[in-house]
Amino acid sequence: MTAALAIKNAPYRSVWIFKIDLNDDEIDTFSHEVIEEDNHIWPLGTALGINPFPDHDFVEVLDLDALRSYGFANYLIEANGLDLGEDAQKLDDLSGHILLVFSQAVESGQTEFAPTAPLSFVGRYHQAIDTRQVEPMVSLAAKGQLPQGKPVKSDARIGGMVATFVLIFLAIFVTVFVWIGG
């Protein structure tokens, strides 16, 4: 039995990798869940020592011999965006079957794996965090200030404009009546 492995809620994607020490003909039975009268039997989930079982959609069992030409490290880096640090060669040297349990497979209340045979823990890897420095863009078009728009008209300004219009209208109206009457 491997020591219990803490499951921490990371702000990014993680994967736990386990070596499966079984023959090729035993892998299918080990990795598939069977439901018998409301009883879920999943040897892989039981061997992980976690309850409830992880979400199947985020658990992968891989035959590393089938990945040999592409490379297991390339699969983790390029296809899954993980940062392997200095472990790329160690992971490429593995053979047989491997189990990947992605962080999305475990529920937030679960605190640890307690793996048992035939699983042995290989490592935990996280999604690569891109921290590139961005160069500022230099452009002549960005120099100076943009023209400022007109300020929003306040209620007092609008009232003053209406009063001015009314006074002008009344002045014209009175002038016309004085001219006609005179």
Side-chain angles (χ1 to χ4, degrees), residues 53-115:
F53 291 148
D55 184 346
H56 293 71
D57 293 338
F58 300 102
V59 174
E60 294 181 27
V61 175
L62 300 174
D63 180 1
L64 293 180
D65 295 332
L67 275 176
R68 189 68 53 206
S69 62
Y70 183 65
F72 182 47
N74 278 340
Y75 175 75
L76 294 172
I77 294 168
E78 293 176 9
N80 290 290
L82 300 173
D83 180 13
L84 303 181
E86 304 293 322
D87 292 349
Q89 189 59 51
K90 174 184 106 171
L91 294 171
D92 276 338
D93 291 341
L94 293 173
S95 61
H97 289 86
I98 207 87
L99 169 66
L100 304 176
V101 181
F102 290 92
S103 54
Q104 297 96 319
V106 294
E107 295 180 10
S108 60
Q110 296 171 320
T111 58
E112 65 184 23
F113 289 110

